[in-house]
Amino acid sequence: MSEHDDVYRLLTQAILAAEVELVDGPHIVICRDVETGAAMYSGPYPTGIEAMTKAQRDQESERAAGSVGLEFSVAPLFST
């Protein structure tokens, strides 16, 4: 294994650890109307997984109702 491989492995581990920590924190769900750009927010949810689950359910509900002009996404809340 080369020194390059060791650095790559350590960097990958650090990035993954940061991502896992980020998902564990509070998140919000963002619903954006693609035509108008108007956005609505819900939450916060205790974890990213819970926010993603809520976003998925909301998106499925909107599609079932015939609405295709809404985009759902999830964002972490950072403490300042």
Side-chain angles (χ1 to χ4, degrees):
M1 190 176 283
S2 73
E3 188 175 320
H4 181 308
D5 292 337
D6 289 339
V7 170
Y8 180 79
R9 182 178 49 80
L10 289 173
L11 181 59
T12 301
Q13 288 174 343
I15 291 170
L16 288 174
E19 290 295 323
V20 167
E21 186 176 313
L22 186 62
V23 171
D24 284 343
H27 283 65
I28 59 171
V29 173
I30 304 161
C31 174
R32 189 177 72 82
D33 184 311
V34 295
E35 281 189 34
T36 67
M40 298 167 280
Y41 306 89
S42 65
Y45 299 90
T47 66
I49 299 297
E50 290 176 69
M52 285 187 275
T53 301
K54 174 66 171 155
Q56 180 68 30
R57 286 184 184 148
D58 287 352
Q59 186 171 33
E60 289 171 357
S61 177
E62 289 295 324
R63 283 190 179 153
S67 176
V68 293
L70 299 177
E71 266 181 2
F72 289 86
S73 60
V74 172
L77 291 178
F78 297 105
S79 60
T80 56

